[in-house]
């Protein structure tokens, strides 16, 4: 005889169940059939895999090694089937993209052209889990200092941009007309902050403010940009703002001296999907589009030319 997949499954089932009777039920076989098959397998291998015990069967040392290898082979077989099915459908199947609602996300959608489905998801844990299970092909994630980004072995990643976090202040703020503002100059202001999440952004802010000798006075929590901008303009609060984009009337967008607050925008992709072969080209297209956005933002463009480009593109 030759060992077949069904033989591996039978031995693993017996090991899992600890009983020939229970294994037979799982495999929809009779107990005599399981006993006969096990004996044929052991005769073929020239060694005993199980010994009978009072409460069922126990693995021998040989059986333990066999089951360990059998599990590994069955897992690889499942992976082989999944990858083959995906590759067979890749000619027509769209690339599945998700990520944070950053400008890089929109640029990546454009780079992938029409054959893409996308959705915005902020939670790092959710994005990582969907990449791990194969429900996503590629994702745009964020990483803040102090909160590592842990990805599975079959997921590659690349830094797209280190974005400084600017601050939005009302135009009547005493520092609103300055080219930049020290973080400690905001010690007495009330802050609008996004709801805490698993990205580590709020913790990053708290640490950097503490390093400058103060604790944030957080008066409002909102993850909606239009709400935060209204609170800046109408209530005099201050709020972190990402550097790309226009600034509405009544609000000044300022760089923070020394760039203490930063997020890294990271592209992550499964290495077993067709889009993995396009990563270099996609990153180049996103970088080109991002530079155009920089130039469209007056404050960011000035920061970029004054040494910010080296900061943003360093790894």
């Amino acid at each position: 005889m030759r060992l077949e997949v069904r033989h591996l499954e039978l031995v693993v089932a017996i090991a899992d169940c600890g009983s020939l009777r229970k294994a037979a039920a799982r495999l929809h076989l009779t107990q005599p059939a399981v006993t006969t098959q096990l004996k044929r397998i052991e005769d073929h291998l020239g060694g005993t895999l199980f010994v009978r015990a009072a409460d069922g069967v126990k693995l021998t040392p040989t059986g333990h090694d066999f089951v360990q290898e059998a599990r590994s082979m069955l897992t690889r077989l499942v992976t082989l089937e999944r990858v083959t099915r995906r590759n067979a459908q890749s000619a027509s199947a769209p690339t599945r993209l998700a990520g944070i609602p950053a400008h890089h996300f929109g640029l990546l959608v454009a780079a992938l052209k029409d054959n893409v489905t996308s959705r915005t998801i902020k939670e790092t844990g959710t994005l990582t889990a969907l990449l791990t299970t194969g429900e996503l092909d590629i994702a745009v994630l964020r990483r803040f200092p102090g909160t590592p980004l842990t990805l599975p072995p079959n997921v590659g990643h690349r830094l797209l941009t280190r974005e400084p976090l600017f601050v939005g202040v009302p135009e009547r703020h005493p520092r609103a007309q300055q080219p930049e503002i020290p973080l400690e100059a905001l010690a007495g202001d009330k802050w609008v902050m996004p709801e805490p999440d698993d990205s580590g952004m709020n913790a990053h802010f708290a640490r950097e403010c503490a390093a400058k000798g103060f604790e944030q006075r957080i008066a409002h929590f909102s993850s909606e940009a239009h709400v935060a901008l209204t609170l800046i303009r109408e209530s005099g609060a201050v709020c972190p703002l990402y550097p790309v984009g226009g600034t509405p009337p009544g609000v000044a967008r300022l760089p923070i001296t020394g760039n203490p607050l930063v997020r890294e925008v990271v592209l992550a992709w499964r290495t077993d999907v067709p889009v993995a072969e396009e990563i270099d080209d996609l990153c180049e297209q996103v970088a080109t589009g991002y530079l155009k956005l920089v130039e469209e933002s007056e404050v960011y463009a000035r920061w970029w030319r004054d040494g910010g480009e080296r900061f943003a593109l360093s790894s």
Side-chain angles (χ1 to χ4, degrees):
M1 64 172 282
R2 294 179 58 185
L3 283 180
E4 300 175 9
V5 172
R6 62 190 177 92
H7 298 140
L8 304 183
E9 291 173 336
L10 182 137
V11 174
V12 169
I14 297 171
D16 287 344
C17 296
S19 161
L20 296 179
R21 178 179 56 81
K22 292 179 181 178
R26 178 199 281 194
L27 298 170
H28 305 290
L29 298 171
T30 65
Q31 183 172 335
V34 170
T35 301
T36 300
Q37 284 284 5
L38 176 60
K39 186 176 186 311
R40 290 188 65 203
I41 294 168
E42 290 179 325
D43 288 345
H44 173 70
L45 295 173
T48 303
L49 302 179
F50 296 93
V51 294
R52 292 191 176 275
D55 55 349
V57 292
K58 303 290 185 182
L59 282 166
T60 65
T62 300
H64 181 273
D65 291 343
F66 181 91
V67 168
Q68 189 173 29
E69 291 297 327
R71 288 190 198 280
S72 177
M73 293 182 69
L74 291 171
T75 299
R76 291 199 297 271
L77 182 62
V78 170
T79 301
L80 175 63
E81 289 186 77
R82 175 173 53 78
V83 171
T84 302
R85 287 197 185 100
R86 177 180 297 155
N87 290 342
Q89 298 168 357
S90 62
S92 58
T95 298
R96 298 162 300 171
L97 163 69
I100 60 173
H103 287 83
H104 305 76
F105 180 82
L107 293 169
L108 186 58
V109 170
L112 288 166
K113 301 185 171 56
D114 296 330
N115 197 28
V116 59
T117 60
S118 69
R119 50 179 165 156
T120 55
I121 298 174
K122 294 182 179 180
E123 295 78 14
T124 302
T126 301
L127 289 168
T128 302
L130 292 174
L131 282 168
T132 301
T133 60
E135 294 172 74
L136 283 181
D137 299 319
I138 189 167
V140 178
L141 305 95
R142 53 186 171 166
R143 177 171 59 199
F144 287 95
T147 304
L149 181 61
T150 304
L151 297 170
N154 62 335
V155 173
H157 70 283
R158 184 178 298 182
L159 176 67
L160 293 174
T161 313
R162 295 179 73 223
E163 277 193 330
L165 274 73
F166 290 178
V167 64
V169 304
E171 284 187 342
R172 60 184 180 276
H173 193 281
R175 300 265 190 162
Q177 302 308 313
Q178 297 183 358
E180 62 181 22
I181 187 168
L183 183 58
E184 57 268 27
L186 302 169
D189 289 280
K190 293 181 179 179
W191 285 78
V192 185
M193 289 293 291
E195 291 285 351
D197 56 30
D198 66 351
S199 71
M201 175 181 179
N202 293 53
H204 173 47
F205 258 76
R207 285 192 300 271
E208 293 301 321
C209 291
K212 297 298 183 181
F214 73 96
E215 181 178 347
Q216 280 180 296
R217 297 170 58 203
I218 302 176
H220 311 284
F221 283 104
S222 177
S223 298
E224 301 298 329
H226 67 281
V227 173
L229 291 169
T230 299
L231 288 168
I232 294 172
R233 186 176 60 246
E234 302 299 334
S235 73
V238 300
C239 179
L241 295 178
Y242 291 110
V244 172
T247 306
V251 176
R253 187 189 304 254
L254 301 174
I256 301 174
T257 304
N259 310 311
L261 302 169
V262 61
R263 77 167 176 181
E264 294 182 337
V265 182
V266 176
L267 183 67
W269 64 93
R270 290 186 61 93
T271 57
D272 59 352
V273 297
V275 75
E277 299 178 4
E278 304 176 40
I279 295 302
D280 289 343
D281 181 58
L282 292 173
C283 287
E284 184 176 343
Q285 291 187 60
V286 170
T288 300
Y290 189 80
L291 287 177
K292 292 179 181 178
L293 295 175
V294 171
E295 290 302 319
E296 293 171 3
S297 178
E298 180 181 354
V299 175
Y300 196 21
R302 184 170 58 248
W303 176 91
W304 191 272
R305 289 190 295 268
D306 291 344
E309 179 179 8
R310 188 167 55 254
F311 175 89
L313 300 181
S314 64
S315 57

